[in-house]
Amino acid sequence: MAKPLASLGEVEVQILRLVWQNQPCTERQISDLVRQERDVARTTVLKTLQRLEAKGLLARVPDQTPIRFRAVLDEDRVLPSLIDRFVQGVLGGSPGPLVAYLANSEKLSEKDIKALQAIALKIAQPPQE
């Protein structure tokens, strides 16, 4: 799994996230959603879906017209690898800047804050022997 994830570009990650949120979904649905956020041609979205399929991250739903795509791997399995790639590649291996960003973010929902508090409690607990 690591190799396909290591080579994911920004648009591929965006499209994969949209597939997770809307699956099974058509190329047209994903294209319309992507184009709400960035100026890309529909053919670019189609090629990206095909690349994700070739990498084994998307699959076509059998016997569906128009063609529908679904994710092969759950978001919960893929996101930790993408986050680790970000921390290692962009933040030089230290999650400190990410934690500081989250601490100062005004975009966090109550649900996000509760999840972060639970994570902090888990980190603060001594390891079980």
Side-chain angles (χ1 to χ4, degrees):
M1 177 175 61
K3 189 170 183 175
L5 296 181
S7 65
L8 287 181
E10 183 180 337
V11 175
E12 289 175 313
V13 171
Q14 178 187 17
I15 288 175
L16 188 55
R17 299 224 48 214
L18 289 169
V19 171
W20 280 323
Q21 294 165 5
N22 298 282
Q23 63 185 327
C25 52
T26 65
E27 171 272 325
R28 163 99 47 194
Q29 289 172 302
I30 295 301
S31 182
D32 289 347
L33 291 168
V34 169
R35 291 168 52 192
Q36 289 175 12
E37 297 178 25
R38 60 175 72 216
D39 185 25
V40 296
R42 189 166 166 212
T43 54
T44 301
V45 174
L46 178 58
K47 282 286 190 191
T48 304
L49 286 165
Q50 291 169 343
R51 275 197 315 272
L52 290 168
E53 184 179 19
K55 291 178 180 185
L57 297 170
L58 293 184
R60 294 173 190 231
V61 177
D63 303 322
Q64 291 279 311
T65 305
I67 295 169
R68 295 186 183 279
F69 292 92
R70 65 169 179 77
V72 172
L73 301 172
D74 290 335
E75 187 175 14
D76 293 343
R77 280 191 64 198
V78 177
L79 283 182
S81 295
L82 293 175
I83 293 167
D84 185 60
R85 184 181 86 173
F86 174 77
V87 169
Q88 297 304 318
V90 176
L91 302 179
S94 172
L98 178 59
V99 174
Y101 168 80
L102 292 172
N104 293 314
S105 178
E106 296 176 9
K107 299 177 184 179
L108 296 176
S109 68
E110 189 65 33
K111 182 180 174 184
D112 294 332
I113 292 169
K114 287 182 181 186
L116 288 170
Q117 289 170 335
I119 291 166
L121 286 173
K122 183 178 176 183
I123 292 169
Q125 290 179 351
Q128 300 288 327
E129 294 183 22

